[in-house]
Structures are given as C-alpha cells and as structure tokens.
Amino acid sequence: MLDRLAVGSRILELEGHGDMSLGHVSLRDPNGRGFWMKRNRIGLGEVLSSADFVLVDFDGNKLEGDGGRHSEWPIHSEIFRLRPDVQVVAHTHPLHASILSAMEGALQPFTLDADYFDEIPRHTDDVALITRKEEGEALARSLGSSFAVLMANHGVSFCGTSIEHAIIIGVFLERAARIHVLGNKSAAATTMPNPAVRARRNAQIMTPVHVEHSWNYFARKLEWFMATRAPGQRALFV
C-alpha cells in the first residue's frame, strides 16, 4: 500500500501539488499504531517507494523508518482521530487552490470539476505551520465530514477513504480551483447550476467507478511522463 501511495505522491506532484520539499501524505497504519507519513526533506515527486515513509504514532513519535517526520504531523494525527472513515490524509500547497484559500465566497461550479465536492470548508489560523495537536484538532473540526478543507492563505488539506480516493480528491480540487480563479478573471456574464442540479451532478460523477478510472488514467499519465525522463532519473523532477 505504501508503494501505491508513493505512486499517488508522484501523481500529486505531476498535477500541480508540488512545492519543493513541502507537502506530505500519510496512510493510516493497519495495525493501529499511528500512520505512515512521507519522510521530510524530499518532495512529493521524489517519493519512490515504501522506504520513503516513516511510521509516526498519534503523539508524533517516530516508531519506524529512515528519515525524519514533518513538523506538521498533527494535521494527520487529528484528522485520523476524528474521521475513522479516512485512510489517507494529505497536506499540500497547490498554486490555484492556495489562491482560492484567500478568496471570499464558495468554489464556483464553472465546470463539473467543482461538483466533485458538496462544499469545501475554510479554516483560518494565526500560525504558519500546524505543529501542535490542538491546532491539528481545530483543522480537523473545520474539515468536518468533508474530504477537503482550504487553509486560509496557506494551502489545502484533503483526505479519502482509500489511496485512490484521496489522490483524486486532491487532483480535482486543484483543477476546480484553477478554473475558479481563471473564470473570475473574466468580465463575461456567467450562469451557475443551482444546488439541486449540483447534487445530482455530484452523485453522477463522484462514484467508485469514476475514482478507479481516474486513478488508472493518472497512473498511466505518470508512467508515460516517466518514460520520457533520461535513463536513471527515477524522481519525477530532478
């Protein structure tokens, strides 16, 4: 599963979530010991295998693995605590979603990309990094029952019931945010579907089958991209 999450990390980098060595993903430990978190000091596109994850308990102690843990581990621990349905948590700084985090108003459904989400809550805090358990808990409470939360003037956190689900949430969040930012730059009159129509659209597209198909597409896209790299270049961006 960690090898699969490594693929998901590289998909996130390819789809606009990379920010130097910042950003992290995690998987709930199946034995209840905590969560496996991407090690620090490498970017999402440099996560190559299970060796690039460390096991962290819910108090932030590293239990297994080579490398250090990110200081924002409370994002992961507290979402896992409050959301037993969640198996994967991610925190990233995608360009357009980060801009959206500073904008007032809801994500506008210019396209179907926004209809992957019922609503995206927004969390405000007065710190640059979520490094304390109470800060992580506040973020988890802002997330509520949603699968993504905007972190005002910072970035995003998102999660899923599976590796595939979480990665697809992240990919379509940034796509929807990019379209929102571009759409709001236009002076043209627009029309938007009402809540009932949006709910119907969400039910049609946010299905396990579509998640599976989308994951397989982005995995193939990543494979094609890597095939164009020079021999020996295993990391996504070097």
Side-chain angles (χ1 to χ4, degrees):
M1 292 180 69
L2 288 177
D3 286 334
R4 195 166 182 83
L5 186 56
V7 172
S9 299
R10 299 198 300 275
I11 288 173
L12 288 176
E13 175 90 45
L14 188 63
E15 297 302 316
H17 285 259
D19 183 11
M20 302 178 290
S21 62
L22 306 178
H24 23 89
V25 297
S26 66
L27 173 73
R28 187 189 294 274
D29 179 58
N31 297 316
R33 296 172 294 174
F35 49 94
W36 291 90
M37 187 179 191
K38 165 192 165 286
R39 64 184 176 93
N40 65 357
R41 300 188 179 185
I42 62 171
L44 291 168
E46 298 174 293
V47 180
L48 301 178
S49 72
S50 59
D52 290 315
F53 293 89
V54 294
L55 178 61
V56 181
D57 69 17
F58 288 105
D59 293 318
N61 302 303
K62 192 184 85 167
L63 303 180
E64 291 184 23
D66 296 325
R69 58 130 174 88
H70 286 273
S71 64
E72 289 190 301
W73 61 268
I75 292 176
H76 304 258
S77 66
E78 303 315 300
I79 291 177
F80 282 131
R81 282 183 193 271
L82 292 183
R83 290 286 299 275
D85 61 316
V86 164
Q87 299 301 313
V88 173
V89 175
H91 167 61
T92 62
H93 309 132
L95 175 62
H96 299 93
S98 296
I99 294 172
L100 180 66
S101 78
M103 300 173 71
E104 296 183 351
L107 175 67
Q108 293 298 307
F110 285 94
T111 67
L112 286 172
D113 298 87
D115 290 320
Y116 284 89
F117 310 92
D118 295 321
E119 182 180 353
I120 303 179
R122 186 169 179 265
H123 176 74
T124 58
D125 209 326
D126 58 2
V127 296
L129 298 172
I130 305 295
T131 59
R132 302 175 62 180
K133 295 182 77 169
E134 57 266 32
E135 295 164 353
E137 182 180 2
L139 175 64
R141 293 196 181 281
S142 292
L143 172 70
S145 61
S146 300
F147 287 103
V149 57
L150 300 173
M151 300 168 67
N153 308 94
H154 181 167
V156 298
S157 288
F158 53 95
C159 55
T161 58
S162 68
I163 293 170
E164 296 83 359
H165 182 216
I167 299 306
I168 295 310
I169 288 287
V171 169
F172 283 101
L173 174 61
E174 173 61 3
R175 284 167 59 110
R178 174 167 52 86
I179 293 166
H180 176 102
V181 171
L182 291 173
N184 276 287
K185 291 175 63 176
S186 172
T190 59
T191 60
M192 298 293 169
N194 62 44
V197 171
R198 292 200 63 192
R200 187 178 309 143
R201 285 153 62 113
N202 174 271
Q204 288 178 316
I205 62 175
M206 200 52 175
T207 65
V209 170
H210 188 65
V211 168
E212 178 189 359
H213 289 179
S214 298
W215 165 271
N216 289 337
Y217 166 77
F218 288 115
R220 292 194 303 270
K221 181 178 178 180
L222 174 65
E223 184 178 0
W224 172 84
F225 184 87
M226 293 305 299
T228 68
R229 302 295 87 194
Q233 289 186 353
R234 296 184 63 213
L236 192 57
F237 296 114
V238 294

